[in-house]
């Protein structure tokens, strides 16, 4: 009966709109980021693009367009796409967008529940769990994925930490309310960091488990993970909210009909890597996109568009993504990279000629030669 299982309302007619739905440039720049990391790590012979919760498939579609435009660069590389999606409805929408309907619903590979070929000839596989995705050098992508995972809420009281629970309102039949647990719960014992200074905390244990899985995969097989989401670095408190028809919605009313979200605590994700990988960010979306060259890309698109309507749309979508009052500041980018990405390989023959390490795109200023 869950929200995503039944409908998953992405887009204009749904309950919320995501960055890839606003502008193609967003996905293109993420595609460039992966290519840049692939080059920085010596152009491995194969890579998997793994997206968690791909929505309507728009983001993967934009990334694959970039891969296709850079086909000569990737010609010797074996690229495959692996989508982790639990919603039957959304996987159908993704399949239509990405393959135009060329599908096998029970592939030989038993871990995948569906398989297809992208419009540009790249194999695509669907899975219900990240554990089912094959091991190997991979680029992971989670855009507005972690904010949809369930959280525990805790409140500091005079008697110590108490978990916030959901109860039936005795005054109003059929209405739910929040209550504080009368005593400590197992979650209170396990999920509050001893050094916590806030009075109200939201913890998403599932996000912690996922980050540990990503970190151990990257440590073992190499690659990179990019996480883009609403979030903060351990500073915010009560962010749990609902959206219906693009408006805020009481989270306890009509459960299953609204999109529920809570800001991602990137400081918690960083802790959960347990030092297995390096982490970069979080940095604000407008900084990341600027560092990735969004201004240049916008100029090119404006020059290539013939009509004022398209130009106005481009400027409007740029403003949505970059304006601090819109998405520019509330969205953040965060990356996991293997430690060896930052260690200079020794040049035995000529120790003096150590080339400078390739900087990680997006997380430092873009310098144009």
């Amino acid at each position: 009966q869950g929200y995503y299982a039944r409908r998953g309302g992405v887009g204009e007619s749904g309950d919320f709109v995501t960055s890839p739905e606003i502008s193609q440039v967003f996905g293109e720049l993420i595609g460039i980021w992966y290519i840049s990391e692939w080059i920085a790590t010596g152009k491995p012979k194969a890579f998997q693009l793994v997206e968690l919760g791909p929505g309507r498939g728009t983001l993967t579609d934009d990334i694959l367009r970039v891969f296709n435009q850079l086909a000569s660069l990737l010609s010797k590389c074996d690229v495959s796409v692996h989508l982790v999606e639990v919603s039957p409805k959304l996987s159908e929408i993704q399949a239509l967008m990405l393959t135009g309907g060329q599908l096998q619903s029970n592939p030989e590979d038993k871990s995948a529940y569906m398989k297809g070929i992208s419009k540009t000839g790249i194999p695509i596989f669907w899975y219900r769990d990240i554990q089912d995705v094959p091991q190997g050098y991979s680029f992971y992508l989670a855009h507005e994925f972690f904010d949809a995972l369930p959280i525990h809420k805790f409140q500091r009281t005079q008697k110590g930490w108490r978990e916030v629970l959901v109860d039936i309102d005795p005054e109003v039949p059929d209405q739910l309310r929040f209550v504080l647990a009368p005593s400590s719960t197992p979650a209170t014992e396990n999920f509050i960091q001893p050094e916590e200074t806030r009075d109200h905390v939201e913890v998403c244990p599932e996000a912690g488990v996922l980050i540990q899985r990503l970190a151990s995969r990257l440590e073992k097989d190499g690659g990179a993970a990019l996480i883009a989401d609403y979030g903060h670095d351990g500073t915010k408190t009560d962010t749990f909210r609902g959206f219906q028809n693009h408006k805020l919605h009481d989270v306890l009313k009509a459960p299953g009909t609204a999109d529920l979200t809570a800001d991602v605590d990137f400081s918690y994700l960083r802790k959960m890597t347990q030092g297995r990988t390096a982490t970069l960010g979080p940095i604000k979306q407008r900084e990341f996109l600027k560092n990735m060259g969004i201004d240049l890309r916008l100029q090119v698109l404006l020059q290539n568009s013939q009509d004022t309507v398209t130009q106005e749309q481009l400027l409007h979508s740029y403003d949505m993504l970059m304006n601090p009052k819109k998405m520019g500041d509330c969205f953040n980018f965060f990356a996991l990279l293997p430690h060896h990405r930052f260690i200079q390989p020794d040049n035995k023959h000529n120790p003096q000629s150590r080339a400078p390490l390739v900087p990680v795109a997006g997380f430092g200023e873009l310098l144009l030669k």
Side-chain angles (χ1 to χ4, degrees):
Q1 288 303 305
Y3 175 77
Y4 284 103
R6 290 196 306 137
R7 44 202 287 243
V10 190
E12 290 294 339
S13 60
D15 296 312
F16 56 93
V17 172
T18 64
S19 297
E21 304 288 324
I22 291 166
S23 170
Q24 65 174 63
V25 179
F26 185 84
E28 289 174 346
L29 295 177
I30 288 176
I32 299 285
W33 192 84
Y34 288 126
I35 298 259
S36 148
E37 276 308 297
W38 175 72
I39 293 170
T41 49
K43 301 184 181 170
K45 296 262 183 296
F47 70 75
Q48 306 188 138
L49 173 66
V50 183
E51 190 179 359
L52 309 178
R56 299 164 73 89
T58 315
L59 190 48
T60 294
D61 197 44
D62 290 337
I63 293 170
L64 289 182
R65 191 172 60 254
V66 169
F67 289 178
N68 195 47
Q69 283 165 339
L70 299 175
S72 57
L73 187 64
L74 289 166
S75 62
K76 293 191 175 67
C77 183
D78 188 8
V79 180
S80 56
V81 172
H82 304 261
L83 305 177
V84 179
E85 179 57 76
V86 293
S87 160
K89 187 167 178 185
L90 284 172
S91 61
E92 282 173 29
I93 295 172
Q94 293 151 16
L96 263 176
M97 167 154 298
L98 296 168
T99 70
Q102 304 290 311
L103 282 176
Q104 276 179 290
S105 53
N106 45 2
E108 313 78 75
D109 174 7
K110 283 289 170 273
S111 53
Y113 64 83
M114 198 161 77
K115 171 186 175 181
I117 303 277
S118 83
K119 294 174 282 201
T120 54
I122 289 172
I124 307 180
F125 302 86
W126 278 263
Y127 310 84
R128 290 196 174 82
D129 192 307
I130 191 164
Q131 309 259 70
D132 298 331
V133 176
Q135 300 275 335
Y137 181 90
S138 301
F139 293 132
Y140 297 94
L141 176 58
H143 176 266
E144 285 196 55
F145 175 76
F146 283 94
D147 72 80
L149 299 177
I151 53 162
H152 287 268
K153 281 174 92 61
F154 304 97
Q155 181 72 44
R156 198 194 289 271
T157 70
Q158 284 165 336
K159 298 177 185 156
W161 285 99
R162 290 293 180 263
E163 188 169 4
V164 178
L165 303 173
V166 177
D167 183 25
I168 288 171
D169 192 333
E171 310 284 306
V172 192
D174 292 343
Q175 182 57 46
L176 301 169
R177 62 169 183 167
F178 286 120
V179 292
L180 286 180
S183 57
S184 186
T185 57
T188 318
E189 303 295 322
N190 288 303
F191 298 139
I192 300 282
Q193 307 285 336
E195 66 276 16
E196 188 54 72
T197 55
R198 289 169 285 179
D199 289 334
H200 189 105
V201 180
E202 297 166 334
V203 180
C204 176
E206 212 176 309
V209 171
L210 261 161
I211 282 293
Q212 289 177 356
R213 287 189 182 142
L214 287 175
S216 62
R217 278 171 167 248
L218 291 171
E219 184 182 39
K220 187 167 162 284
D221 301 317
L226 193 59
I227 296 166
D229 224 315
Y230 291 100
H232 58 91
D233 210 9
T235 49
K236 286 191 182 176
T237 54
D238 178 15
T239 71
F240 182 45
R241 58 205 185 279
F243 282 100
Q244 199 176 53
N245 300 324
H246 306 272
K247 289 188 181 66
L248 280 170
H249 175 88
D250 179 346
V251 291
L252 296 180
K253 278 210 168 80
T257 65
D259 170 45
L260 302 183
T261 178
D263 283 15
V264 177
D265 184 342
F266 290 105
S267 68
Y268 174 71
L269 299 190
R270 193 183 296 112
K271 279 196 190 85
M272 289 299 117
T273 63
Q274 297 166 320
R276 286 186 191 158
T277 59
T279 60
L280 293 176
I283 68 166
K284 291 180 168 57
Q285 172 165 298
R286 65 186 163 93
E287 291 175 39
F288 179 84
L289 296 177
K290 199 170 189 60
N291 295 340
M292 287 303 299
I294 190 170
D295 295 336
L296 287 169
R297 183 70 182 126
L298 177 71
Q299 292 309 320
V300 171
L301 289 171
L302 285 172
Q303 282 160 11
N304 292 347
S305 61
Q306 306 304 318
D307 59 304
T308 49
V309 178
T310 310
Q311 290 176 339
E312 274 167 23
Q313 257 175 336
L314 285 166
L315 290 165
H316 172 72
S317 57
Y318 174 88
D319 182 59
M320 275 296 280
L321 294 176
M322 300 293 281
N323 190 326
K325 293 188 178 70
K326 294 177 183 171
M327 290 173 144
D329 275 5
C330 61
F331 276 86
N332 291 271
F333 277 77
F334 182 76
L336 306 185
L337 295 156
H339 289 297
H340 60 70
R341 168 69 174 85
F342 299 97
I343 298 163
Q344 185 67 56
D346 275 331
N347 187 339
K348 293 191 182 69
H349 309 298
N350 186 357
Q352 269 72 49
S353 77
R354 291 174 71 162
L357 275 176
V358 183
V360 176
F363 291 88
E365 255 184 85
L366 176 66
L367 301 171
L368 297 169
K369 292 202 174 64

